[in-house]
Amino acid sequence: MTQQEIGNSIRERRKKLGINQQTLADLSGVAVNTVVAIERGEGNPQLTTLLTILDTLGLQIDINIKRLDYETV
């Protein structure tokens, strides 16, 4: 999932809940500029910030961590 796709999902859910960006920011305890940037797929938010916003909206993200084996030549 790309940053833009995450941002789009957040925007769609926020609008479905009928709240504006300022309200989401207030409920999440983050700056409104952070919400705006995330919804645009911009910036590089800390994982905890992103998870807080997702939790506020009743969303979750699945992260798969895979070990990459690199061969040295």
Side-chain angles (χ1 to χ4, degrees):
M1 183 171 249
T2 67
Q3 282 181 272
Q4 188 61 56
E5 290 170 328
I6 293 169
N8 289 342
S9 295
I10 288 171
R11 181 183 312 104
E12 289 171 13
R13 177 69 173 162
R14 176 181 59 75
K15 288 183 176 185
K16 184 175 182 176
L17 293 173
I19 60 175
N20 62 30
Q21 291 172 325
Q22 182 64 59
T23 301
L24 176 57
D26 292 343
L27 292 171
S28 301
V30 302
V32 68
N33 292 344
T34 300
V35 172
V36 171
I38 291 171
E39 286 190 359
R40 289 182 181 168
E42 300 171 352
N44 190 18
Q46 290 193 13
L47 182 57
T48 54
T49 300
L50 183 58
L51 292 175
T52 298
I53 291 170
L54 291 172
D55 186 56
T56 301
L57 294 170
L59 296 172
Q60 67 180 27
I61 190 167
D62 293 324
I63 300 172
N64 294 313
I65 298 174
K66 297 178 184 177
R67 181 175 155 220
L68 301 176
D69 291 317
Y70 294 100
E71 286 187 45
T72 55
V73 178

